[in-house]
Amino acid sequence: MIGVGLLGSGFIAESYADALLDVRNAELVACYSRSSKRSAAFADKWKITACASMEELCADPRIEIVIVALPNEIHLEACEIAARHGKAIICTKPLARTEAEAQKILDVVNAAGVWHGYAESSVFSPNVAKAYEMVQAGGIGKLLTMRAREGHSGPHAPHFWNAETAGGGALLDMGCHTVESARHFFGKDNKVTEVMAWGSTMVHGDKTTGEDTAVALLKFAGGEMATIESSWIERGGMQLRHELVGSAGRLVTDSSVGPVWGFIENPVGYTVEKADAETGWVYPVPEETRAYGFSQQMRHFVDHYVAGKVPSETFEDGVIVNRIIDACYRSMKTGQWEKVA
């Protein structure tokens, strides 16, 4: 049984803890939070050990894999500590706030020789995985364009709103998913060469200096085009959609549309991430952790770690995603197409 330690106690940490229940050869044994109260509550819920520091968790001999589910600005420090203790590391998206910081994280794990996985859940979502399988089988001919959007009404935790410490706004937070989806579908050896991006703070100027709305165009070396849309201004729950157009057809996925919806007058409790209302028309997503790909992702990572294999998403991918998003931010400032270094 592979012992896992979890750094973080927020929404994504809860999702990862739930996902690990679906991994038969892994066990969550300890957690850490910057808030001792939240750490204790998290540990009590999941029946694990609460650690007082990242150092304590990473030094625990029961732990082989450390999952970093902390705010962006702490990823580098967390990875440094875990790597120093020789732990395998899974880090949530985005890997870092900039390419330069992401490269430091990659350098740290490479120098320590530790196994690493970049936790980009969207490519593991069952519907996205099925669409990828159909594209690979030639079902829609040559893939030509992709339009993907991730949207909701705004982050659930205060640290997301601070663009200075988080590294950006909706584009970094949401766009990292869709950028990696594009690389996944068009081929990682098919590099993004140029980007054009626009972003604006349209609604949440009282909360953030970061963009709450963004659109980016990605040009690939093979001539393909991806349009990615990121939003913190859409009410009514999550938008997680891909539209893939090929020379012989098209495919559409929507991870946030489930088999249940309806109009209710009385609250029923949690229905879906980022739901803005408890009554009226509701669109619950059954088995949300699995629908979003968290369970499949964790199984993939643990299985590859046990087998001593490189996973399909690594910190190298995280660096490239940050590189592309950096170029998008430059384009927002210049209003021009920007080269991806």
Side-chain angles (χ1 to χ4, degrees):
M1 188 66 70
I2 303 300
V4 179
L6 184 54
L7 300 177
S9 62
F11 175 84
I12 195 63
E14 289 280 357
S15 298
Y16 290 160
D18 187 42
L20 286 167
L21 296 177
D22 291 336
V23 185
R24 65 178 182 271
N25 54 342
E27 179 183 15
L28 183 61
V29 299
C31 68
Y32 160 79
S33 174
R34 293 173 299 165
S35 163
S36 58
K37 183 177 179 180
R38 289 187 59 162
S39 183
F42 192 95
D44 182 64
K45 176 179 179 178
W46 296 100
K47 306 297 186 248
I48 58 177
T49 303
C51 296
S53 67
M54 291 191 286
E55 192 78 40
E56 179 186 341
L57 182 143
C58 293
D60 190 328
R62 298 175 298 167
I63 294 172
E64 292 185 56
I65 299 176
V66 171
I67 301 176
V68 179
L70 292 162
N72 301 345
E73 63 270 22
I74 311 174
H75 290 185
L76 175 57
E77 179 187 3
C79 289
E80 286 174 336
I81 295 171
R84 188 166 66 246
H85 286 278
K87 307 298 185 182
I89 308 170
I90 298 170
C91 185
T92 193
K93 64 79 194 173
L95 183 59
R97 295 171 290 183
T98 64
E99 180 193 357
E101 188 174 64
Q103 186 62 53
K104 288 181 181 178
I105 293 174
L106 179 59
D107 290 344
V108 164
V109 296
N110 283 342
V114 298
W115 183 98
H116 49 90
Y118 176 53
E120 174 42 71
S121 58
S122 68
V123 300
F124 291 98
S125 298
N127 57 358
V128 174
K130 185 61 179 179
Y132 179 76
E133 177 185 315
M134 294 170 72
V135 169
Q136 292 298 106
I140 62 172
K142 175 177 169 53
L143 183 60
L144 302 172
T145 68
M146 183 190 92
R147 177 174 179 253
R149 66 179 294 96
E150 292 248 354
H152 53 61
S153 60
H156 47 260
H159 64 82
F160 285 97
W161 295 105
N162 189 329
E164 285 68 39
T165 55
L171 177 65
L172 181 62
D173 178 38
M174 315 288 282
C176 59
H177 284 303
T178 44
V179 165
E180 188 60 1
S181 289
R183 294 185 65 238
H184 180 63
F185 276 104
F186 288 121
K188 293 182 179 180
D189 58 346
N190 184 11
K191 294 183 178 180
V192 176
T193 58
E194 289 184 275
V195 301
M196 167 69 85
W198 169 90
S200 178
T201 311
M202 302 184 77
V203 173
H204 298 299
D206 60 329
K207 296 180 181 179
T208 184
T209 58
E211 75 288 347
D212 58 21
T213 307
V215 178
L217 301 177
L218 313 181
K219 283 184 181 179
F220 285 78
E224 304 87 349
M225 174 73 76
T227 304
I228 65 169
E229 303 171 13
S230 308
S231 175
W232 283 351
I233 68 171
E234 297 189 21
R235 300 188 64 81
M238 295 290 292
Q239 288 283 318
L240 302 170
R241 186 177 176 88
H242 291 75
E243 300 174 12
L244 302 152
V245 176
S247 60
R250 69 186 181 99
L251 294 169
V252 179
T253 73
D254 198 327
S255 302
S256 56
V257 173
V260 183
W261 67 91
F263 185 90
I264 61 174
E265 293 187 358
N266 301 309
V268 295
Y270 183 90
T271 55
V272 68
E273 179 190 355
K274 308 297 191 307
D276 293 305
E278 295 185 331
T279 58
W281 284 101
V282 295
Y283 302 88
V285 177
E287 299 288 348
E288 198 173 19
T289 298
R290 293 145 200 93
Y292 292 165
F294 293 123
S295 295
Q296 297 86 341
Q297 171 182 258
M298 288 302 166
R299 282 200 299 269
H300 173 86
F301 283 146
V302 172
D303 287 348
H304 279 67
Y305 169 74
V306 170
K309 296 180 179 179
V310 176
S312 62
E313 296 289 327
T314 70
F315 285 6
E316 281 93 349
D317 295 300
V319 171
I320 295 170
V321 170
N322 273 119
R323 179 181 305 152
I324 294 167
I325 292 176
D326 280 0
C328 289
Y329 278 129
R330 291 197 302 272
S331 179
M332 282 185 190
K333 292 178 180 178
T334 65
Q336 304 291 325
W337 284 94
E338 290 288 334
K339 300 287 187 182
V340 178

